[in-house]
Amino acid sequence: SLLADSCFNMSKDKTGAIIVIERNNSLEFIKSTGDETKIELSPQIIESIFYKNGPLHDGAIILKENTITSTRIILPVSDSTSIPKRYGLRHKAGIGISEKTDALVIVVSEQRGDVSYIKNGDFERITSSKKLQQVLTNDLSS
């Protein structure tokens, strides 16, 4: 899919990203921390938002269906002590929003280029675009 491929393109370039996918729980409570938008999803858009020196790369984006509804979002950071030390603020923020809502989160690490998938406070490293597509399809259809 578009989203999975974009994540792995950013991973190759070590472009850090945090993408929050809104499901049933409203994310209105954090949208005010960033900029509301209505941008149709495309690989160019996602990659340009997270471009290292771009004006929007700081913070998370929120996706609902195939629309980017917000950029530059500040997420609540998890205070879980079980998160390995090697994971930084992006991962803690991704875990934080997934503990409070049913949102799905994809984090691309700037340091290592790893792609992590976060749901219900749990995260797993994803090693291929195909696998990311599978977990997304599975979770978004349930």
Side-chain angles (χ1 to χ4, degrees):
S1 89
L2 209 96
L3 182 58
D5 291 344
S6 290
C7 289
F8 279 88
N9 286 343
M10 291 187 294
S11 158
K12 277 186 214 99
D13 299 339
K14 292 199 162 96
T15 298
I18 181 163
I19 300 164
V20 179
I21 302 165
E22 185 170 351
R23 295 202 295 173
N24 300 317
N25 300 151
S26 167
L27 296 177
E28 284 304 315
F29 72 101
I30 55 169
K31 285 186 180 168
S32 62
T33 67
D35 300 324
E36 290 210 34
T37 58
K38 199 171 189 168
I39 308 168
E40 192 170 330
L41 191 60
S42 79
Q44 296 82 1
I45 292 289
I46 287 197
E47 292 170 42
S48 64
I49 285 175
F50 289 111
Y51 176 72
K52 279 185 180 66
N53 302 315
L56 300 177
H57 87 281
D58 231 11
I61 64 170
I62 296 177
L63 285 182
K64 184 150 178 129
E65 279 133 26
N66 275 332
T67 304
I68 298 169
T69 59
S70 304
T71 59
R72 299 192 330 145
I73 294 293
I74 299 164
L75 297 174
V77 177
S78 174
D79 41 25
S80 165
T81 53
S82 64
I83 304 165
K85 291 272 183 278
R86 68 179 182 276
Y87 290 108
L89 200 53
R90 265 194 197 94
H91 287 82
K92 289 182 178 144
I95 293 165
I97 192 66
S98 80
E99 289 168 338
K100 291 177 171 60
T101 69
D102 68 351
L104 304 173
V105 185
I106 302 165
V107 175
V108 181
S109 158
E110 208 170 293
Q111 279 76 35
R112 292 177 311 283
D114 294 351
V115 175
S116 300
Y117 183 72
I118 305 171
K119 175 179 143 182
N120 302 330
D122 290 323
F123 60 98
E124 67 172 305
R125 191 170 161 218
I126 304 283
T127 52
S128 74
S129 177
K130 187 175 179 214
K131 171 72 174 152
L132 181 57
Q133 180 53 45
Q134 285 169 342
V135 292
L136 281 170
T137 302
N138 188 32
D139 287 337
L140 290 171
S141 62
S142 58

